[in-house]
Amino acid sequence: MGSGGREHALAWSLAQSPSLTKLYAAPGNPGIAEEAECVALDVTDHGAVIAFCADKAIGLVVVGPEAPLVDGLSDSLRAAGVPVFGPSQAAAQLEGSKGFTKDLCARAGIPTAGYVRTSSLEEARAALARFAAPYVLKADGLAAGKGVVIAETLADAEETLADMFGGAFGGAGAQVVIEEFMAGEEASFFALTDGTAIVPFGSAQDHKRVGDGDTGPNTGGMGAYSPAPVLTAELQARVMAEIIEPTVRTMREEGNPYQGVLFAGLMLTADGPKLIEYNARFGDPECQVLMMRLQSDLVALMLACAKGELAGTEVSLRDATALTVVMAAKGYPGTPEKGGAIALDNVESEGAKVFHAGTALKDGMLVANGGRVLAVTATGANVTEAQAKAYAAVDAIDFASGFCRRDIGWREVARERGGATDTSA
């Protein structure tokens, strides 16, 4: 289920499984169509999805994006006896409500930023007095990765709160979480769980800002690389013990067992790793780099999660580094320019893969049909080599109305060259 770059990467990996007999994608995109039969299904029409699964004898449903999970699609499928990779509606609150997650962290003793949940502009303005600048303001609900604002001054914070409660993020801003600012470097950690057993799935770092040097507004993600060397084996062990395991245990004990992938956004502070937020699905574009490194059978892993049989399994990842560069349409993250022609002839050299995110076919021509359009992904011995390969592939693409950042992986490249880098986030 899904149509973005994350779903293309998942389809590409699922298609490599020896146990796969037939792969459908709903709705898919032109890139996914190379791996699967694309079908028109409305993910909000649970009955139609269940009927399709019954008609085609579907043995596993993989829900790519967060909205169908928060909408309870997994519950409907499970009730109909269809194995599904993705958490229940109740468990998906870990992404669907930032306040829910912060409260869970407080109950379970999980390290995270101090916070206050607010449900009105007046309450939020009063709560600002408990914090020092810069102020971290988060719309409680789903906001396509853009519902977090860091306000440098009190005046900026008050203006942002007025926007949030004024409908700038729709229903996502009906409640707002105000957090203390955490200094450090961000990293992402992924784990699979069937509700009881937990298996690590690797690390990554992404680039949220639209411009080079991490400037400009936040986006859904302009590029990523995996693994994240800054998240050492020692730190990953702490993340598992202090963040992931207590989350899974608490969710199970409180009657909302979590099944699927748990994506932890982390801040590596002077006091150790702290949770920024959870996502209830693979990241985009982090999924692209993880799938490029995955050696295990993804179908087998996902079925084990869906059926409660994950214990004893492991995730095998290549030692290589994978790096992806997002090519976006002009205007993104505002109103993107759609319809721009794209030519991908002879782009995919050895070690490079182009995942389609926002593309469509028009009169037989590939065109841009979204904000983030392509995720150009390559592997190498380290970030420097993977970056060079990815940008070589980017430069071979003819996409006149597209743009990309030219510095994906800059922090790690600087470290690999022995230079100092600013690690503040």
Side-chain angles (χ1 to χ4, degrees), residues 120-376:
S120 71
L121 179 58
E122 294 72 22
E123 186 182 3
R125 280 177 169 161
L128 287 174
R130 307 187 205 176
F131 299 87
Y135 304 90
V136 181
L137 312 173
K138 298 183 176 182
D140 181 73
L142 297 180
K146 302 168 190 175
V148 178
V149 176
I150 299 175
E152 298 294 337
T153 68
L154 181 61
D156 289 342
E158 291 181 337
E159 183 179 347
T160 298
L161 288 173
D163 288 342
M164 285 182 167
F165 282 107
F169 298 103
Q175 291 192 24
V176 173
V177 175
I178 304 173
E179 294 185 8
E180 67 173 340
F181 179 81
M182 293 190 291
E185 186 167 350
E186 289 190 41
S188 301
F189 183 78
F190 299 81
L192 299 182
T193 179
D194 60 6
T196 302
I198 309 169
V199 179
F201 201 102
S203 64
Q205 282 187 292
D206 76 334
H207 298 65
K208 287 289 189 189
R209 302 278 186 170
V210 73
D212 286 9
D214 294 326
T215 58
N218 273 339
T219 70
M222 295 299 292
Y225 58 92
S226 174
V230 71
L231 201 57
T232 62
E234 179 185 359
L235 285 176
Q236 289 188 49
R238 285 191 63 181
V239 171
M240 283 290 287
E242 299 172 18
I243 298 175
I244 303 294
E245 289 172 3
T247 298
V248 172
R249 182 176 62 250
T250 302
M251 292 292 285
R252 182 179 68 251
E253 290 173 350
E254 295 182 353
N256 298 320
Y258 188 100
Q259 292 175 283
V261 62
L262 202 50
F263 165 12
L266 305 169
M267 186 68 77
L268 306 181
T269 74
D271 299 323
K274 294 186 178 183
L275 181 70
I276 301 173
E277 63 184 15
Y278 272 128
N279 292 305
R281 36 71 194 181
F282 282 105
D284 188 344
E286 294 93 341
C287 185
Q288 289 86 314
V289 289
L290 287 170
M291 292 305 122
M292 284 287 279
R293 297 182 58 222
L294 182 65
Q295 290 180 302
S296 302
D297 182 337
L298 186 60
V299 171
L301 287 171
M302 288 182 163
L303 268 176
C305 284
K307 295 183 175 182
E309 300 170 354
L310 193 61
T313 64
E314 292 184 358
V315 172
S316 176
L317 298 171
R318 295 181 179 88
D319 289 335
T321 292
L323 182 142
T324 190
V325 177
V326 169
M327 297 192 75
K330 287 180 181 177
Y332 181 76
T335 302
E337 183 179 312
K338 294 187 178 183
I342 305 166
L344 298 174
D345 303 333
N346 304 315
V347 170
E348 294 189 359
S349 58
E350 184 177 351
K353 174 70 180 175
V354 179
F355 294 110
H356 292 231
T359 65
L361 289 175
K362 185 177 180 181
D363 300 325
M365 178 181 292
L366 189 68
V367 299
N369 190 44
R372 294 185 296 169
V373 180
L374 304 170
V376 185

Side-chain angles (χ1 to χ4, degrees), residues 185 205 225-230 319-323 379-388 408-421:
E185 186 167 350
Q205 282 187 292
Y225 58 92
S226 174
V230 71
D319 289 335
T321 292
L323 182 142
T379 57
N382 53 29
V383 175
T384 302
E385 184 178 314
Q387 182 196 60
I408 300 302
W410 67 270
R411 278 196 182 94
E412 202 55 45
V413 169
R415 283 192 279 254
E416 288 174 358
R417 292 174 178 167
T421 177

